[in-house]
Amino acid sequence: MSLVHLTINGENKSVEVPPMKRLLDVLREDLHLTGTKEGCGEGECGACAVLLNGELVNSCLIPALQANGTSLCTIEGVSTEGHLHPIQQCFLEKGGAQCGICTPGMILATQHLLNKYPNPTMEQIQEGLAGNLCRCTGYMRIFESVQEAAKLQNAGAGA
Amino acid sequence: MPQRNAILGASPIRKEGRAKVLGAAQYTDDLALPDMWHGATVRSTVARGYIRNITFAHEVNWDEFCIVRASDIPGKNVIVHLMQDHPCLANGYVNHPDEPILLIAHPEKAALLRALKNIHIDYDELPGVFTIEESEAAVKALVEKNDDSRIIWPTPKADYEGGPNCFKTYEMYSGDAEKTETGLEAAFETADFIVEGEYATGAQEQLYIENNGVIAECFYTQQGEVESVCVRGSMQCPFYLVHALTLVFGLPDDKCRVIQVETGGAFGGKEDFPSVIGSHAALLAMKSKHPVKIIYDRAEDMAGTTKRHPSRTRHRTAVRKDGTLLGGTIEVTLDGGAYATLSSTVLSRATIHASGPYKWPHLRVRSKAMATNLPPHGAFRGFGAPQSLFGVERHMDRIAHTLGLTPEEVRRKNFLGTGDTTATGQPLVDKVDMQHMLTRALNEAGYHEKVARFAEENKHSLIKRGVGFAAFMHGTGFTGSGERRLNSLVYLDVLEDGLPQILVSSTEFGQGTNTILSQVAAQTLNLPYEDIRLAQPDTSVVPNSGPTVASRTAMIVGKLVERASLQMLETLRLQVHLPADHTREEFIAAAKAYRAQYGTLRASARYEPPAPIFWDDEKYRGDAYPGYAWAVYVAEVAVDMRTYMATCTRFDALQEVGKVMHPVLAKGQVEGGVAQGIGYALYEKCVWKDGHLANNQMTNYIMPTSADLPPIHVHFEEVPSIHGPMGAKGIGELPMDGPAPAIMNAIENATGISFCTIPLLPEDIFERVQSLGHPHGGTEDLDPSVDRDTRVEEVSA
């Protein structure tokens, strides 16, 4: 067993887990943060995506020990006190979420994308979300959600 | 007061959407019950054979585990679908790879993997059949050589309908059988051309992102006997699982409780399959005396659960040189896999949709579902229609090329219209205008301009571009007398706060059930959308409003919600004087007054077949569906003759859906279906190795990513239907039907090569081009005007 220190959504946590336990399972089982989903367990679908030190990673591919000392953002850390983040609001209004199972990962991928490109082109959106599979939407409503979120964030930043 | 007509047709936010974007929605794997164990399935490693021996290795302390065998099943060892041929657990004999043999459970999930590796099963293997052709060859061997070694579906059998290795057959005539045969004979004699074609489609994985999963509990009497079971999980049809559990446990309906929890995609893949995993978990709960959770991982889900039926469709068509269809025969064959499951109803829909949206003076459709030693194929969005529509829509282009007409001309000659009768003899009473639909779709897509421009540009480019389209329809609801048999029931309650709650077994799995049913109730009751709630689909609480399948929820269940809402208003107006044109406050006051006086307030509505609807199950004639949605889809493609990669570069989807209830959700449904259709055509290949899915991973079963899809433009037409709420018809499956034929037609337009088998991957294009003797795919050799593989008989007049 290893003692792993994590900063999760701004809070410091320590867990004692097997060193090779998947970060995904640490989040879901040890920290009860079930918003992070498992879709494939092999880093293809992005349902388990979280931000690790600001980088988008698939938590099913990260051993717990590798995450020691890092700062993580999961879907539970995107909203503030029940207030939806603009990205969440746009996914809600524009139909970016259907069955919802890819949505947490998709929203974190969007956050990562918009941090990198505040005004993303369609190619940048398509490329930036290509690691997150959605079987319901055909992605069109998701693209619209991302574009709208970029608009909202930029308007907010300019104000 | 909300304005009338403001809610239906608007796009209020998805009912459960907030929980989903917050990551707070609770799916099966997010739930845990006290003292819960985890279950796993021991599966066969061979396709067919007798189980000789099962060994539990000494490395594992098996006392810690609960182990369930077929002999532990208290009721029947069967998963009931339409027949009872499908064992819950293999008992001495396996019929496909990955067939469940044993179940194990343990308090620690991590212990299961090691345990699975320490159970060894020996088999006496038997030869298997893995394709439609091999299954047919096995029948031939039986008939000609009395060799039954590859007959995997035995005969005779009481509830069996096809023949050896055949689950089901249909024969459908466009009129009286004898007269049609005579008519066909004459048509083939007098035709200017007879055009034949064979079209094949592969298996397709539903690939919902949330794998199958359930949690089961078992309750005992004081005497220690099983009193009841309860299963909650990811599913489309809670009452299907109730039915399955009643047989496995020998319990009455009301002792088998099923609760649907948030479901992360389904697409048909959670229609029949939850009966399997749900029964398994319940058996483990029974024996372990603990709640048991089974969650498949992706590899197990892909290898062990149902897929879309592979198909082969053969057309032989008599046509006049102006393109008029004189008569035709169609043979549709599905690969049903190892057990009958839903194959007979999938085949039924394939049979009825095989004729496309066309007038056939004389038509005979023969269809059959063959048994193979693949895991059973099951429901997947479209349910047989995508297979047979692929055939007819590729064939229409083939006829056009043979006759020297355009694909547009041939279709315009033969489209069904208002007042015509379909191939089953159903008169089209509601307005149908496929001529206009085609005109509009081609205009939206810029089709004519592109046909001309691409033909010119392709001469000088190794990127061949093309456009193609498909015209089609999809019947809403269960086929024929199915809705009558379902006899669906809906409740509408008013709760303590004076506001309504809808009670249905119709489930939400992303497509928008919660939202559209709430819209219907809000609109009808003249209340704000936010005031409408839905009870969780729990079979101990909600009535059976039927399964959530067959594009039936909006039209059929929506109509029942509308009727229940009207009934509730009438009750309130009569009993407690709710004024006409009431406000929200007046409604609440009246509802509370009613409750104070009478206790509870519940309105209900049961399905009533529309009076003129008639269906003959024997002759397969009559009104196949209460309504059809109609569509024309246009695909634009680019085929790179250096890499042999075909890409869809733009997609236009025009459909007539009655009434668009929620524009954002409706667009999302169509776009999602088109994306699955593009995957079906160009990406998603099931690679079978002796019946086992060899590419049972997302790494090598490729579904489209955000970077693979073209812009999808969605266009609607509205012709309200009397059978749906405010005129709505079903759209859930429709968008799955059109993309594959439209894309293959576009690829033929681009390359001049007629591809008739999907999925079409670069290696398939490469091999075909090689076989045509054009190693470099040179421009001159790929003249689009040359059709190299149409088999044509010219009939001398």
Side-chain angles (χ1 to χ4, degrees):
Chain A
M1 298 291 257
S2 303
L3 192 63
V4 174
H5 303 282
L6 302 163
T7 307
I8 297 189
N9 303 326
E11 273 185 61
N12 293 321
K13 301 269 182 185
S14 299
V15 286
E16 208 179 329
V17 294
M20 290 305 287
K21 187 167 185 174
R22 304 183 303 174
L23 177 58
L24 168 65
D25 298 327
V26 175
L27 291 171
R28 291 180 54 85
E29 293 169 10
D30 299 278
L31 298 162
H32 307 292
L33 295 170
T34 55
T36 304
K37 306 299 181 189
E38 174 166 2
C40 68
E42 54 173 352
E44 281 292 327
C45 77
C48 66
V50 298
L51 298 178
L52 184 146
N53 290 339
E55 284 303 315
L56 188 68
V57 298
N58 288 321
S59 63
C60 74
L61 296 182
I62 309 266
L65 200 57
Q66 193 185 330
N68 187 32
T70 62
S71 173
L72 296 172
C73 176
T74 70
I75 189 67
E76 289 87 353
V78 174
S79 59
T80 35
E81 290 163 10
H83 292 289
L84 297 186
H85 186 280
I87 296 172
Q88 291 171 313
Q89 189 63 37
C90 292
F91 269 72
L92 186 56
E93 287 172 10
K94 296 288 172 187
Q98 286 192 21
C99 84
I101 199 81
C102 76
T103 307
M106 201 65 85
I107 285 173
L108 288 162
T110 303
Q111 196 166 32
H112 182 253
L113 173 78
L114 295 184
N115 283 343
K116 207 164 153 192
Y117 307 109
N119 284 303
T121 62
M122 184 51 92
E123 285 71 28
Q124 286 165 337
I125 295 175
Q126 288 189 281
E127 199 58 41
L129 301 182
N132 293 73
L133 298 179
C134 170
R135 191 57 154 171
C136 294
T137 61
Y139 306 104
M140 302 296 133
R141 305 290 98 215
I142 291 175
F143 297 159
E144 223 172 85
S145 306
V146 174
Q147 286 170 325
E148 189 67 18
K151 235 188 277 174
L152 263 184
Q153 283 194 349
N154 291 336
Chain B
M1 190 181 101
Q3 271 197 324
R4 289 252 172 215
N5 300 319
I7 300 168
L8 215 89
S11 292
I13 61 165
R14 169 182 287 281
K15 271 283 165 188
E16 75 295 349
R18 189 179 160 84
K20 284 176 172 173
V21 298
L22 282 167
Q26 299 274 295
Y27 299 80
T28 306
D29 201 20
D30 304 334
L31 305 172
L33 294 177
D35 300 318
M36 186 176 79
W37 286 23
H38 297 270
T41 313
V42 181
R43 298 174 179 279
S44 68
T45 50
V46 304
R48 185 174 171 228
Y50 292 98
I51 297 167
R52 202 171 54 210
N53 197 21
I54 301 178
T55 321
F56 295 85
H58 298 299
E59 285 82 351
V60 174
N61 179 8
W62 295 104
D63 293 342
E64 291 176 1
F65 288 81
C66 167
I67 299 170
V68 166
R69 301 170 172 78
S71 57
D72 291 310
I73 294 170
K76 276 188 171 181
N77 182 10
V78 72
I79 300 294
V80 62
H81 305 287
L82 299 158
M83 296 183 189
Q84 297 193 10
D85 64 317
H86 186 190
C88 180
L89 291 172
N91 193 9
Y93 175 78
V94 295
N95 213 17
H96 66 82
D98 305 295
E99 181 159 2
I101 297 172
L102 298 173
L103 305 165
I104 61 172
H106 190 276
E108 297 298 324
K109 192 178 178 184
L112 293 169
L113 195 62
R114 187 162 161 259
L116 286 175
K117 284 183 182 156
N118 281 285
I119 299 172
H120 303 288
I121 303 178
D122 299 312
Y123 306 87
D124 287 325
E125 278 192 67
L126 293 168
V129 291
F130 303 109
T131 61
I132 289 170
E133 286 71 25
E134 286 175 15
S135 190
E136 288 172 331
V139 178
K140 201 166 171 230
L142 176 70
V143 175
E144 292 177 0
K145 299 178 199 153
N146 205 24
D147 168 7
D148 68 354
S149 62
R150 285 181 168 79
I151 298 301
I152 60 166
W153 174 263
T155 181
K157 193 165 179 174
D159 52 3
Y160 130 97
E161 286 205 52
N165 277 4
C166 181
F167 296 124
K168 181 77 181 173
T169 61
Y170 290 106
E171 192 167 62
M172 185 182 102
Y173 285 99
S174 57
D176 172 80
E178 234 171 86
K179 280 183 194 158
T180 306
E181 285 292 357
T182 315
L184 278 171
E185 221 169 282
F188 282 108
E189 267 170 32
T190 57
D192 294 323
F193 289 89
I194 295 170
V195 184
E196 294 183 347
E198 182 176 309
Y199 310 92
T201 63
Q204 186 184 21
E205 164 60 31
Q206 293 89 356
L207 218 71
Y208 31 71
I209 305 294
E210 181 210 25
N211 291 315
N212 272 287
V214 293
I215 302 171
E217 294 171 275
C218 183
F219 303 95
Y220 295 84
T221 62
Q222 282 182 337
Q223 290 73 38
E225 282 171 3
V226 173
E227 184 181 37
S228 65
V229 290
C230 174
V231 181
R232 61 198 84 207
S234 181
M235 69 187 78
Q236 295 175 238
C237 313
F239 281 98
Y240 279 9
L241 177 50
V242 169
H243 188 198
L245 291 168
T246 59
L247 270 82
V248 169
F249 286 88
L251 289 170
D253 286 15
D254 62 345
K255 299 293 179 194
C256 300
R257 179 183 178 192
V258 175
I259 305 166
Q260 186 240 6
V261 301
E262 203 71 72
T263 295
F267 315 113
K270 294 171 185 172
E271 173 175 348
D272 44 320
F273 195 80
S275 295
V276 179
I277 187 174
S279 298
H280 287 172
L283 287 168
L284 283 169
M286 173 198 76
K287 195 161 177 192
S288 70
K289 299 196 158 59
H290 287 271
V292 172
K293 179 194 268 191
I294 302 182
I295 304 280
Y296 290 165
D297 69 14
R298 180 60 59 182
E300 182 175 26
D301 195 291
M302 290 186 74
T305 75
T306 60
K307 316 227 164 334
R308 185 186 301 290
H309 290 69
S311 79
R312 181 191 69 204
T313 301
R314 288 177 175 151
H315 277 260
R316 180 174 160 84
T317 311
V319 282
R320 216 157 44 207
K321 60 186 171 202
D322 68 354
T324 308
L325 299 175
L326 300 174
T329 60
I330 306 174
E331 285 174 30
V332 182
T333 308
L334 299 181
D335 172 351
Y339 297 108
T341 64
L342 300 175
S343 287
S344 63
T345 47
V346 174
L347 186 67
S348 157
R349 194 172 276 270
T351 306
I352 293 170
H353 286 75
S355 52
Y358 305 108
K359 281 182 284 199
W360 294 85
H362 308 284
L363 177 73
R364 181 187 69 216
V365 184
R366 281 190 181 139
S367 60
K368 58 184 180 186
M370 300 299 290
T372 63
N373 295 106
L374 300 184
H377 295 301
F380 190 168
R381 191 180 203 171
F383 208 73
Q387 290 94 320
S388 63
L389 283 165
F390 177 73
V392 71
E393 280 307 281
R394 282 296 290 129
H395 194 62
M396 285 295 146
D397 268 36
R398 170 162 289 187
I399 291 171
H401 297 317
T402 306
L403 271 52
L405 299 172
T406 64
E408 184 183 354
E409 286 167 329
V410 168
R411 287 175 176 83
R412 286 199 189 278
K413 271 273 174 228
N414 299 291
F415 271 144
L416 286 165
T418 317
D420 288 332
T421 51
T422 67
T424 63
Q426 176 170 3
L428 294 171
V429 182
D430 295 344
K431 184 186 152 199
V432 180
D433 195 349
M434 288 300 282
Q435 302 287 354
H436 162 72
M437 294 278 289
L438 182 55
T439 302
R440 181 171 167 204
L442 297 182
N443 284 343
E444 298 277 7
Y447 175 86
H448 290 112
E449 181 270 327
K450 282 174 189 163
V451 168
R453 177 157 56 86
F454 293 162
E456 203 49 47
E457 289 172 2
N458 285 347
K459 289 179 187 165
H460 316 290
S461 174
L462 282 172
I463 310 274
K464 308 290 183 193
R465 303 178 71 192
V467 274
F469 65 92
F472 56 102
M473 72 296 172
H474 196 97
T476 287
F478 265 40
T479 302
S481 43
E483 287 298 337
R484 205 179 302 231
R485 279 197 298 270
L486 284 177
N487 201 17
S488 299
L489 182 63
V490 161
Y491 292 151
L492 184 68
D493 285 355
V494 158
L495 303 184
E496 215 169 333
D497 60 3
L499 288 169
Q501 182 183 45
I502 300 168
L503 291 95
V504 289
S505 63
S506 307
T507 50
E508 170 69 53
F509 38 90
Q511 77 295 34
T513 297
N514 291 347
T515 305
I516 56 159
L517 294 184
S518 297
Q519 283 180 280
V520 171
Q523 177 82 56
T524 315
L525 294 168
N526 203 22
L527 288 172
Y529 165 79
E530 293 72 23
D531 281 344
I532 312 294
R533 290 154 298 188
L534 278 106
Q536 183 173 29
D538 172 342
T539 59
S540 71
V541 175
V542 300
N544 190 349
S545 62
T548 309
V549 302
S551 310
R552 65 184 293 280
T553 303
M555 188 173 187
I556 309 276
V557 184
K559 189 74 182 176
L560 295 178
V561 169
E562 185 185 46
R563 278 177 41 208
S565 303
L566 289 171
Q567 192 203 327
M568 176 168 283
L569 285 183
E570 197 182 317
T571 303
L572 292 174
R573 296 205 204 290
L574 282 175
Q575 304 294 327
V576 288
H577 311 295
L578 174 69
D581 264 337
H582 57 270
T583 63
R584 173 177 187 267
E585 289 65 34
E586 284 166 340
F587 181 94
I588 293 171
K592 284 182 172 172
Y594 185 98
R595 281 176 59 100
Q597 205 173 333
Y598 300 97
T600 57
L601 174 50
R602 165 170 289 180
S604 66
R606 191 178 278 285
Y607 178 77
E608 285 162 15
I613 295 247
F614 167 78
W615 178 254
D616 183 339
D617 259 328
E618 286 291 305
K619 293 193 173 135
Y620 236 61
R621 294 204 41 79
D623 302 314
Y625 301 99
Y628 294 86
W630 304 86
V632 178
Y633 282 10
V634 189
E636 183 187 306
V637 300
V639 185
D640 187 328
M641 299 311 289
R642 292 160 303 194
T643 63
Y644 302 100
M645 180 80 192
T647 314
C648 186
T649 49
R650 178 187 163 119
F651 205 92
D652 282 83
L654 169 67
Q655 45 260 303
E656 190 278 284
V657 299
K659 162 84 187 163
V660 179
M661 304 172 92
H662 188 298
V664 169
L665 286 184
K667 272 191 186 176
Q669 275 283 288
V670 174
E671 290 156 354
V674 167
Q676 289 177 355
I678 292 173
Y680 189 38
L682 294 177
Y683 297 96
E684 299 179 29
K685 188 170 211 159
C686 286
V687 179
W688 302 103
K689 199 175 170 211
D690 297 331
H692 170 75
L693 185 71
N695 56 335
N696 58 331
Q697 291 171 282
M698 283 179 166
T699 307
N700 43 23
Y701 179 93
I702 305 301
M703 66 159 269
T705 71
S706 57
D708 298 320
L709 290 173
I712 301 168
H713 301 271
V714 179
H715 319 282
F716 288 111
E717 296 263 327
E718 296 183 317
V719 179
S721 160
I722 53 159
H723 301 304
M726 288 90 174
K729 299 192 280 200
I731 61 164
E733 296 169 288
L734 179 83
M736 188 68 226
D737 296 340
I743 288 168
M744 291 303 125
N745 289 343
I747 290 177
E748 183 170 9
N749 176 248
T751 63
I753 306 173
S754 165
F755 291 98
C756 297
T757 300
I758 54 166
L760 184 72
L761 274 63
E763 52 267 37
D764 305 311
I765 300 180
F766 170 76
E767 277 180 21
R768 182 65 178 282
V769 171
Q770 291 286 316
S771 77
L772 289 173
H774 310 298
H776 306 295
T779 47
E780 288 166 29
D781 294 327
L782 291 169
D783 179 352
S785 66
V786 180
D787 182 343
R788 292 183 173 81
D789 16 69
T790 301
R791 283 171 287 148
V792 184
E793 288 174 45
E794 284 219 39
V795 182
S796 51

